Amino acid sequence: MRRKLAAGNWKMNGKLASLEMLDSLSQSFGDAGCDIAICPPAHLILPAVERCASGAVRIGAQDCHTAEKGAFTGDISAVMLREAGADYVIVGHSERRAAYTETDADVMHKAAAAQTANLIPIVCLGESLAEREAGQALPVIRSQLKHSVPAGSTGATLVVAYEPIWAIGTGKIPTMAQIAEVHAALRQDLKTAFGAAGQDITLLYGGSVKAGNAADIFAISDVDGALVGGASLTAEDFSPIVAALSAA
Ligand code: PGA
């Protein structure tokens, strides 16, 4: 069965004190009817895991290296994140694809390393505004999916997030019809690639998800949750999104 997921991506934001929001989430959503994950910066992963030990909230990371260990100054491996208690890792976020020129092949190797370490990779993909305006959104996204997702993935080992680059942090979102079109295409391609398992892979939408638009987005077929940036930083902003997903 396909699982619903509300995932928060804190990016390079948050301090130890910010972890208080995890207590509120745990209290509000003991039994949310959906999975909840917060992906804080690396220095907060261990304290976040400890803080969430008894609750429904899971912790994720925002990136990992492809190797298990070695001379890669500044990097962190999937095995290390797993040891710290993380359950998820975001890979291929457009900010990393752009700032660190990560390719689809890099993203696939990171996702595979995550799966080997028993982390669930949240593989991000999405078109630029220029690609959308040129009518190229679907081919771009489908190509990213094909080349960024490891062979043999299942609903238990992979989450995919569609995040149009132009919707991230801008307050702009695609029309509901555009989101539906992309998610239907991604579902079709996942089924083609993975057979019946493709039906079970959780598909998130990300990009300016807020309390005010979450219910409409979650009503779209094949949208199984959200990857939320800005609105995941406080319980006040994130809780209504989790509540909307749980009610969807
Ligand atoms: P946003 O970011 O919700 O702030 O638009 C989403 C993301 O980058 O994952």
Side-chain angles (χ1 to χ4, degrees):
M1 205 194 65
R2 197 148 84 223
R3 301 188 66 90
K4 296 194 282 186
L5 172 65
N9 170 15
W10 281 11
K11 310 191 182 190
M12 202 169 72
N13 298 293
K15 302 177 174 184
L16 267 176
S18 320
L19 298 180
E20 275 174 23
M21 69 86 75
L22 298 172
D23 303 343
S24 312
L25 283 185
S26 298
Q27 278 156 21
S28 308
F29 300 106
D31 183 14
C34 66
D35 294 336
I36 305 169
I38 292 290
C39 303
H43 75 299
L44 295 179
I45 289 175
L46 193 53
V49 166
E50 285 167 353
R51 198 153 188 152
C52 294
S54 59
V57 181
R58 303 298 186 85
I59 300 303
Q62 299 173 15
D63 181 46
C64 67
H65 198 275
T66 53
E68 213 174 292
K69 60 186 166 113
F72 304 105
T73 303
D75 276 313
I76 192 160
S77 76
V79 172
M80 293 166 177
L81 295 169
R82 184 69 194 147
E83 188 180 32
D87 288 303
Y88 296 90
V89 59
I90 298 168
V91 293
H93 191 282
S94 59
E95 286 154 14
R96 293 202 61 88
R97 287 180 186 259
Y100 301 95
T101 55
E102 288 186 10
T103 64
D104 289 337
D106 295 330
V107 176
M108 173 164 341
H109 289 131
K110 289 181 177 209
Q115 291 176 338
T116 302
N118 282 324
L119 287 173
I120 299 176
I122 302 174
V123 174
C124 300
L125 32 91
E127 82 284 4
S128 67
L129 187 58
E131 288 161 344
R132 166 68 61 188
E133 287 176 348
Q136 289 303 304
L138 275 186
V140 164
I141 296 157
R142 297 178 99 147
S143 169
Q144 287 177 338
L145 182 75
K146 185 169 178 196
H147 298 106
S148 305
V149 160
S153 295
T154 68
T157 64
L158 175 71
V159 171
V160 173
Y162 166 53
E163 298 204 304
I165 297 167
W166 51 274
I168 294 175
T170 59
K172 293 182 194 149
I173 59 168
T175 64
M176 298 301 128
Q178 286 170 331
I179 297 175
E181 182 185 40
V182 171
H183 279 244
L186 292 174
R187 177 68 61 211
Q188 189 53 53
D189 289 357
L190 287 171
K191 287 199 280 192
T192 304
F194 302 118
Q199 186 64 37
D200 293 337
I201 293 171
T202 299
L203 266 179
L204 308 181
Y205 167 78
S208 294
V209 176
K210 309 273 180 248
N213 58 26
D216 287 344
I217 293 170
F218 298 149
I220 300 170
S221 171
D222 281 311
V223 173
D224 309 312
L227 182 55
V228 183
S232 72
L233 292 169
T234 63
E236 292 68 34
D237 288 336
F238 196 53
S239 296
I241 296 171
V242 178
L245 182 60
S246 143

